[in-house]
């Protein structure tokens, strides 16, 4: 059985999580994640929709997940930004919704002080950026220079771009036997076509003992949708 763990709301440290919980605000903290992992060693699914937050809390969560013995599947359902994108990198398989986004950027802080203080803070932030880059490098196999360039430009990635760059493994709801939908650089079916295709697959699964004729009709219907999208694109 697969355990489902939500990664929703801000990523915060354990003390800050108490404040969030008091006001019934969504958050994820190292303690909450560790408590969930301690309940067993079965495979888990992380449902990610978070703007990010505390980079050190995210590091604790990432490390705990990487040390977990079970298989981890990450489902990016909405936005996986900043520290939340680091947590997502701990997945053995990372799946992203066709309507979701991932965003990576350089760490920042609110600092004050003299030139020496600010110079020191700049070095600290660069060290944090180097650490964050390591998590992305291990997943994507991109170089540190490439990763830090993406972080410097505050890069937003849709589902296809995240897969193409290695930040995700697959797009959710898309039939893996149709690689053109995931990786094609041209004539990519629209989200509307993908959603129609998903609904057809769902209806097909509901048929416990489908007849051969029904299978053929459903296949023809799927094919017609994709061909129509291609014709619309060509026009």
């Amino acid at each position: 059985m697969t355990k489902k763990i939500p990664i929703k709301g801000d990523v915060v440290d354990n003390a800050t999580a108490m404040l969030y919980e008091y006001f019934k605000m969504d958050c994820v903290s190292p303690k909450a994640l560790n408590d969930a992992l301690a309940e067993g060693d079965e495979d888990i699914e992380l449902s990610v929709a978070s703007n990010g937050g505390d980079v050190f809390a995210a590091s604790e969560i990432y490390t705990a997940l990487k040390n977990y013995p079970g298989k981890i599947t990450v489902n990016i359902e909405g936005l996986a930004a900043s520290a939340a994108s680091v947590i997502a990198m701990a997945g053995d398989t990372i799946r992203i919704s066709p309507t979701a986004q991932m965003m990576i950027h350089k760490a920042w802080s609110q600092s004050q002080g003299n030139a020496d203080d600010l110079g020191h803070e700049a070095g600290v932030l660069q060290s944090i950026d180097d650490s964050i880059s390591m998590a992305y490098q291990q997943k994507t196999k991109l170089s540190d220079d490439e990763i830090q360039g993406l972080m410097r430009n505050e890069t937003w990635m849709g589902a296809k771009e995240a897969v193409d760059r290695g930040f995700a493994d697959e797009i959710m709801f898309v039939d893996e036997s149709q690689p053109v939908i995931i990786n094609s650089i041209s004539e990519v079916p629209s989200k509307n076509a993908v959603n129609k295709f998903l609904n057809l697959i769902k209806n097909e699964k509901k048929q416990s003992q489908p007849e051969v004729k029904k299978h053929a009709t459903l296949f023809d219907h799927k094919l017609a949708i994709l061909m129509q999208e291609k014709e619309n694109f060509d026009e």
Side-chain angles (χ1 to χ4, degrees):
M1 184 175 179
T2 301
K3 178 196 296 290
K4 297 182 183 296
I5 300 176
I7 305 294
K8 304 291 179 75
D10 293 337
V11 180
V12 298
D13 61 34
N14 296 331
T16 305
M18 297 174 63
L19 175 66
Y20 276 68
E21 291 164 2
Y22 180 83
F23 288 104
K24 301 187 184 303
M25 299 166 61
D26 288 336
C27 73
V28 57
S29 66
K31 182 180 184 304
L33 188 281
N34 282 313
D35 287 347
L37 295 181
E39 296 174 5
D41 59 358
E42 68 267 43
D43 293 346
I44 63 173
E45 284 189 9
L46 300 182
S47 301
V48 180
S50 169
N51 294 334
D54 189 315
V55 67
F56 297 115
S59 177
E60 286 188 62
I61 293 170
Y62 171 87
T63 303
L65 291 170
K66 293 296 285 185
N67 283 327
Y68 185 72
K71 180 181 178 182
I72 299 173
T73 299
V74 172
N75 294 322
I76 300 175
E77 299 176 347
L79 175 63
S82 188
S85 69
V86 174
I87 293 173
M89 295 300 102
D92 297 303
T93 300
I94 302 174
R95 307 169 69 232
I96 181 169
S97 168
T99 56
Q101 289 272 322
M102 182 179 292
M103 187 273 279
I104 67 173
H105 68 144
K106 292 173 69 70
W108 62 277
S109 67
Q110 295 178 333
S111 303
Q112 62 181 4
N114 59 35
D116 292 336
D117 296 328
L118 297 179
H120 173 74
E121 185 68 10
V124 171
L125 289 173
Q126 184 57 60
S127 177
I128 293 172
D129 288 337
D130 293 342
S131 298
I132 293 172
S133 176
M134 285 292 295
Y136 297 140
Q137 288 177 60
Q138 288 195 12
K139 178 60 185 176
T140 66
K141 309 308 179 187
L142 296 176
S143 69
D144 180 58
D145 286 343
E146 290 174 305
I147 293 292
Q148 300 235 20
L150 294 173
M151 293 169 62
R152 188 177 303 112
N153 293 327
E154 187 181 294
T155 300
W156 291 75
M157 293 173 278
K160 183 178 182 301
E161 188 174 3
V163 171
D164 288 344
R165 283 178 163 164
F167 287 88
D169 298 300
E170 61 187 72
I171 301 175
M172 297 166 66
F173 314 130
V174 176
D175 187 349
E176 292 182 358
S177 68
Q178 303 290 334
V180 65
I181 297 177
I182 296 178
N183 293 320
S184 175
I185 60 173
S186 63
E187 300 187 15
V188 178
S190 67
K191 290 185 178 66
N192 185 46
V194 173
N195 288 334
K196 288 181 181 179
F197 196 70
L198 170 62
N199 288 332
L200 289 170
I201 293 174
K202 183 177 180 181
N203 290 335
E204 184 179 29
K205 289 181 179 178
K206 287 182 178 179
Q207 300 173 2
S208 57
Q209 295 180 335
E211 299 177 359
V212 174
K213 182 178 180 181
K214 289 181 180 179
H215 266 296
T217 302
L218 193 57
F219 175 81
D220 291 341
H221 195 180
K222 295 174 185 175
L223 183 60
I225 289 174
L226 293 176
M227 290 301 295
Q228 182 62 47
E229 285 296 317
K230 185 178 184 301
E231 290 175 4
N232 294 338
F233 181 90
D234 291 338
E235 293 176 357

